[in-house]
Amino acid sequence: MRKIDIFDTTLRDGEQSAGINLNTAEKIEIAKQLERLGVSIIEAGFPASSPGDFEAVNKIARTVKNSIVTGLARCVKSDIDTTWEAIKVAEQPHIHVFLATSPIHMEYKLKKSPDQVLEQAVETVKYAKKFFPLVQWSAEDGFRSDRDFLARIIEKVIEAGATTINVPDTVGYASPQEYGELFKFLRENVRGADNVKFSAHCHDDLGMAVANSIAAIQNGADQVECTINGIGERAGNASLEEIGVAMHIRNDLYQVETGLNLKEIKRTSQLVSRLTGVVIQPNKAVVGKNAFAHESGIHQDGVLKNKETYEIISPELVGEGEVPLVLGKHSGRAAFRDRAEKMGFDLSDDKLNKAFQEFKKLADRKKVITEEDLMTLLTEQQVLIEDVPLFELKSVQVSYGTENIPTATASVVTPEGEVKTLAATGSGSVEAIFNTLEQLVNATVNILDFRVKSVGKGRDALGDALVNLRYNGYTSTGRDASQDVLEATAKAYLNAINRHLIQDSIRSKETAEV
C-alpha cells in the first residue's frame, strides 16, 4: 500500500492566522502532540522571521525524535544559514525553501524575469543541499504558474538536489479536477520526477482544500501539507483530521496509508484549539462537537438499531468517547499523576503539584470532573513559563445591578511582590474588570477580541475565557478557565499581560546579547 507522508504546518502556516500568538512552551507542547499523532514531518516555524521563531524551532528540533522537524526559508542564503543553525540538532535535518513562480508573483512581488527566478531557485537549492540531506522546494502560487515553466524549474531544482517538490495552491483557486491534472502532468513531463516526492499544499479560500489535496494524492502526490482544525491564513489550510480519516474510511478507494494514530486526533484538535484560542465550529467534520450527534428522530432510531445506518466514522476511531471517571475530590496525588501521564502530559513535580491543587479546588465545587476539565488544568500548567515575575490575581469582585453602575474591585500581586487593590467602573461587568486591571500597566490597552465558552456540559461547567489585546505596540492573547466566567475573564486578561511581559523579557535578553 502506498505511503502518504503527512506534513503538518500548524506551527508555521497555521500560526499565521490572524489573532494566533503562540509562545515557545505552547509550540513545544503542540509539537509533542503532533509526534504522538504520528505526523511524518512537523514544520515548526520560520526561523529567520524572528528570534522567537528561531528559539521555538530549535527547541522543537531538540525535543521531537519520531517525526522529521523542518523550518521554512526563503530562497535566500541568510535564511538557509539561520534555518541550519536552528535545525542542525534534529534527528534528520530538513529545510523547506520556497520561491514564487506564477506570472503575477514574479512580476509584481519579486520583480524578476522567469530566468532570474529559475537561476535563484537552483542556486539556493544547491546551497541548502550543502547542509541539509532533505531539501524541500516549493513553487509558491504553483497552481497559477505557467505549466511549461513550472516543469522546467522543477527539473532544474531536482538536478540541484531537491528531495521533495511542493506545488501549492497558495490562494485556494484550484478545483479538484484541475489540481489533480497538474500533478499528473508534472509526474509525466518532469525529468527526474520518479526520484523525488511530490507534495500538495492547499488553501481553503473556495472551500476545496481537502478535496484538492485528495485529488493530488490520486494523481501521484506522495505528501500532503495540512493543519490541525484547518487553521491558517485567510480561510485556512487543508484539515489534517479530515484528510487522515478520509484516507482510512475510504481505504477501499484510495488504497494508501498515512501512519497516523487516529485515536490522538480528538486530543490534538482540542489542544490546538485551546492554545490558539480558535474555536472549533460545532459541525466541523471529524472533530466538531456535533460530528457524532444525532438530533433527528429518524436518525436516532436508525443509530439505536445499527450505528452504521448514520455513522460512517466511529467516535472511538478518533479518540472521542466517554472516559471512565476515576478521579474525584478523594483522589490522591499518585492517581492524579497516573492520569496526567496517560493523557500524555510530562509535568515537573512543581507543575504537577500546582495542577493537583487546582484539581482539588475544582473537585470541591464540581460534582463530576471530566476529561475536558483535566485537559484544561494540565495544559495550563504544561505551558506555564516560571522564570519571569508575573502578575497574579488574588481576588476579583464585581458589583452589578440593572439600576447601578457596574464596579469591579481586584486584588493583584505585582511582579515585584506587592499586593495592589484596584477598582473601576464600566458600562458592563466585563468592561469594569478590564478598566480595573488596565491600571496595572500604565498604558492604554486595546481589546481586540474577547470570548467565553463552556468546557464540557452542565450548569457547573468551567468557563474558558480568551482575551486578545494590544498595548505598547504588541499583541498578545490570554486564556484561563474558572467556574465563574468573570474570574476567568480577569485571569485571561492578566494572562495576556503576563505573556507580554514574557516577550519583553525575551527581547531584553536578546538586546543584551547583541
Side-chain angles (χ1 to χ4, degrees), residues 28-50:
I28 291 171
E29 191 59 27
I30 291 173
K32 284 158 59 177
Q33 180 57 31
L34 291 172
E35 184 181 25
R36 281 190 286 269
L37 178 60
V39 305
S40 307
I41 301 167
I42 298 172
E43 187 166 51
F46 189 168
S49 66
S50 72

Side-chain angles (χ1 to χ4, degrees), residues 15 17-23 26 272-278 380 383 446-451 464-471 474-480 489 491-503:
E15 204 215 359
S17 299
I20 294 180
N21 180 22
L22 297 169
N23 63 35
E26 291 165 337
V272 170
S273 176
R274 169 121 188 102
L275 294 182
T276 60
V278 178
E380 285 305 309
V383 300
N446 296 312
I447 303 297
L448 306 178
D449 191 16
F450 167 64
R451 299 195 298 269
D464 187 22
L466 177 143
V467 176
N468 182 232
L469 54 77
R470 183 176 181 83
Y471 82 101
Y474 293 96
T475 301
S476 62
T477 302
R479 299 175 305 272
D480 214 299
T489 297
K491 287 183 174 179
Y493 185 99
L494 284 182
N495 182 248
I497 297 297
N498 285 336
R499 288 163 67 90
H500 184 89
L501 294 179
I502 290 166
Q503 290 305 312

